[in-house]
Amino acid sequence: MKLMLLAGATIMIGTAALAQETGEAYTPGERVELTNTPLPGAEGQAIAIQRVTFAGGWTGERHTHGGPVFVYVLDGQITVEVDGQDPATLSAGDFAAEPMDTAMNARNESASDPVTILLIQVSQEGVPLMTKVE
């Protein structure tokens, strides 16, 4: 069992290393970087953890992530649209994974209430967390 988990983690990290980001780096919202550090045992990989707050009425631009992303909603609601999937609205306490190298967009549909998320991403060192796409 431990070998299977290790193999799965190695595949995920190896896949993140293959991400080829193009375009302009994109960092919306008010961000507090909790960590951005090399991932032990995974040469060339880093883990970034950020607390991100989006104001009421915020709508993001289409973007991709350079590695697997995991989002935990701390407060409020956020609607996420990933290409090829139905839109999903996440509320406080919800957890979701977002694919790498797949265009997506997010928005805060509340006109007044902010939304705060915890964003966790594993990617190749030096690769932007997000890159705008057309």
Side-chain angles (χ1 to χ4, degrees):
M1 180 70 160
K2 288 181 183 177
L3 183 57
M4 286 176 38
L5 290 174
L6 180 58
T10 302
I11 290 169
M12 180 184 81
I13 292 166
T15 302
L18 296 176
Q20 297 297 314
E21 290 296 320
T22 59
E24 181 182 343
Y26 177 56
T27 54
E30 181 182 317
R31 293 172 178 268
V32 175
E33 186 168 82
L34 303 175
T35 192
N36 190 344
T37 186
L39 193 58
E43 183 80 24
Q45 299 297 300
I47 184 165
I49 303 174
Q50 297 180 340
R51 185 174 193 259
V52 186
T53 301
F54 302 107
W58 171 82
T59 297
E61 297 186 41
R62 282 179 41 105
H63 63 278
T64 60
H65 291 279
V69 172
F70 304 93
V71 172
Y72 179 79
V73 181
L74 296 168
D75 190 44
Q77 288 187 325
I78 190 166
T79 300
V80 179
E81 294 183 31
V82 177
D83 282 4
Q85 298 179 17
D86 291 333
T89 298
L90 307 172
S91 300
D94 287 346
F95 177 85
E98 297 175 0
M100 60 186 274
D101 293 333
T102 302
M104 62 166 302
N105 192 11
R107 66 183 174 276
N108 180 355
E109 293 189 32
S110 171
S112 58
D113 296 330
V115 60
T116 302
I117 65 170
L118 186 65
L119 181 142
I120 303 162
Q121 180 169 322
V122 175
S123 59
Q124 187 174 9
E125 289 181 283
V127 170
L129 292 178
M130 295 179 281
T131 303
K132 287 185 196 180
V133 296
E134 303 264 338

